[in-house]
Amino acid sequence: LQVEALQKVDDASDAKELQDVRVAYLGKKGPITEVLRGMGKLSKEERPVIGELANKVREKIAQAIEQKKTVFEAQEIEKKLAEETIDVTLPGRPAPSGGPHLLTSIVEEIEDIFIGMGFEVREGPEVETDYYNFEALNLPKGHPARDMQDSFYITEELLLRTHTSPVQARTMNAIGGNKPVKMICPGKVYRRDTDDATHSHQFTQIEGLYVDKNVRMSDLKGVLDRFAKKVFGEDREIRLRPSYFPFTEPSVEMDISCKVCHGEGCNVCKQTGWIEILGGGMVHPRVLEMAGYDPKVYSGFAFGMGPERIAMLKYGVNDIRHFYTNDVRFLNQYHKA
Ligand code: PHE
């Protein structure tokens, strides 16, 4: 019986079969229980001998079952571990990654160019006073040129700035009339325009201002020429045309040379081979004076440009609204690897 039982234990190939063996040999209806139950019928001499033998056999079988059980349990753990192994050699699933917005990239590119020429980057408030947005820039109340920039007024004295030029006056005031100023200021501006391919009620400007002793128009031209060549390529020329701004005298508009072409994405260069990219000029003596600088000692130049327009010309973007609608199909084209 013992030999037979141990063989069965050995043969059991899983925990279930092992349990069956236990029930068959050690269970209530099993042969050993039966032997022990029949002890009463045995003689006095036989009882201890048979009892001891039966118990020994039972123990042997139970031991064998127990041993086999630990083997099965160990196998079970092995199996689980194997199933849960992570294959570190599998290629990962790529997570979609973003990148800087085209507008952010172009603003940073322009900032870097001017930082390289010794300008510092400043900021100013988007909700501006009438004083800084107009008055301090030689645009007193009732000045006809106020209409050049239709404004969003909040109160009679507060408005959303229509340009970054108020930061000129703010910076000069802050620095205090006896030190040079050399700064650029990027930021959002607002105008009451109907949105279309070339107009937006909110867009971006980058202001530039350089005030020192003996700053001349040729300095402005030199800085802008360097800027244009850095952004658009060394083969580009610039030209300055006379213009009008109340806060600069003389005032200019700057064009860059471009190749005249026809067809898709080519509509950005005019037939003349020149395209306008910014406005500027020599800071008006009144503006210097109001900001605490003596125009007999100090002079300066200022300019203002729209980075959206710069990016549109550089990359052939034909609708300014692409900058604000954030279609990733558009934006992804401009992510540098
Ligand atoms: N502020 C002007 C504009 O919004 C641009 C400009 C800036 C012109 C500085 C001259 C000097 O159009």
Side-chain angles (χ1 to χ4, degrees):
L1 182 75
Q2 183 181 325
V3 173
E4 185 190 295
L6 292 181
Q7 185 59 47
K8 286 257 164 72
V9 170
D10 210 36
D11 289 347
S13 57
D14 59 26
K16 165 97 184 38
E17 279 182 39
L18 192 63
Q19 178 61 15
D20 291 346
V21 176
R22 179 201 294 280
V23 172
Y25 289 91
L26 305 181
K28 281 191 191 113
K29 288 172 189 150
I32 293 171
T33 315
E34 214 166 287
V35 170
L36 292 173
R37 215 181 270 141
M39 293 283 268
K41 291 179 203 140
L42 297 174
S43 68
K44 240 184 177 184
E45 294 75 37
E46 279 174 318
R47 248 180 250 166
V49 182
I50 298 296
E52 200 193 330
L53 184 64
N55 278 329
K56 262 196 182 143
V57 170
R58 188 174 63 180
E59 219 148 272
K60 270 260 161 58
I61 297 174
Q63 222 174 42
I65 290 176
E66 215 40 54
Q67 236 169 41
K68 189 84 187 211
K69 201 170 137 201
T70 23
V71 171
F72 282 146
E73 275 167 4
Q75 277 175 358
E76 191 65 25
I77 289 167
E78 283 298 318
K79 209 175 118 200
K80 270 212 181 119
L81 284 175
E83 276 166 2
E84 286 166 13
T85 311
I86 295 167
D87 182 353
V88 292
T89 65
L90 267 178
R93 253 166 265 150
S97 68
H101 193 285
L102 174 57
L103 190 50
T104 308
S105 308
I106 195 87
V107 169
E108 285 177 356
E109 184 183 338
I110 295 169
E111 281 178 4
D112 283 347
I113 293 169
F114 283 101
I115 288 169
M117 292 191 278
F119 287 75
E120 62 171 12
V121 179
R122 292 213 165 220
E123 278 178 12
E126 287 172 36
V127 176
E128 189 50 284
T129 59
D130 184 272
Y131 176 77
Y132 278 117
N133 196 79
F134 291 127
E135 209 109 348
L137 297 171
N138 198 29
L139 275 139
K141 286 205 162 70
H143 193 291
R146 282 194 175 210
D147 293 347
M148 280 166 77
Q149 305 168 355
D150 233 339
S151 325
F152 287 113
Y153 272 92
I154 296 164
T155 67
E156 230 170 79
E157 290 303 319
L158 280 181
L159 72 160
L160 298 177
R161 67 178 174 196
T162 56
H163 50 180
T164 44
S165 299
V167 186
Q168 288 183 35
R170 283 184 174 278
T171 307
M172 283 190 279
N173 273 343
I175 288 180
N178 50 14
K179 269 184 267 165
V181 180
K182 203 172 184 188
M183 69 93 185
I184 57 163
C185 166
K188 292 189 179 86
V189 300
Y190 303 82
R191 289 185 195 178
R192 281 178 50 182
D193 272 324
T194 306
D195 293 2
D196 62 24
T198 53
H199 295 85
S200 174
H201 62 283
Q202 184 236 290
F203 59 101
T204 316
Q205 280 195 339
I206 298 176
E207 194 79 11
L209 175 69
Y210 176 32
V211 177
D212 203 343
K213 289 169 183 155
N214 299 316
V215 176
R216 287 166 293 190
M217 190 82 160
S218 51
D219 298 315
L220 173 63
K221 193 170 181 183
V223 163
L224 292 181
D225 184 60
R226 198 83 286 280
F227 155 73
K229 287 180 163 65
K230 282 264 190 184
V231 173
F232 293 101
E234 291 294 330
D235 57 335
R236 298 292 188 125
E237 304 286 333
I238 66 159
R239 73 174 186 189
L240 301 179
R241 283 181 293 103
S243 184
Y244 172 75
F245 299 102
F247 32 93
T248 46
E249 181 57 37
S251 300
V252 295
E253 258 161 334
M254 182 177 110
D255 297 340
I256 53 159
S257 62
C258 54
K259 283 202 188 70
V260 183
C261 65
H262 303 278
E264 200 72 34
C266 249
N267 52 356
V268 285
C269 190
K270 293 188 184 140
Q271 291 304 317
T272 55
W274 296 94
I275 183 99
E276 183 200 321
I277 63 164
L278 60 82
M282 300 308 291
V283 181
H284 197 290
R286 288 274 303 131
V287 173
L288 287 172
E289 213 165 51
M290 281 187 277
Y293 280 79
D294 182 353
K296 286 194 245 9
V297 181
Y298 283 94
S299 58
F301 66 68
F303 57 85
M305 69 178 91
E308 285 92 339
R309 190 170 161 75
I310 306 282
M312 286 168 85
L313 293 171
K314 182 166 177 172
Y315 298 110
V317 177
N318 58 16
D319 195 321
I320 195 170
R321 290 168 293 194
H322 282 311
F323 291 98
Y324 317 117
T325 46
N326 291 327
D327 184 333
V328 290
R329 291 169 300 179
F330 168 76
L331 296 175
N332 282 341
Q333 298 176 82
Y334 303 102
H335 292 163
K336 289 172 197 132

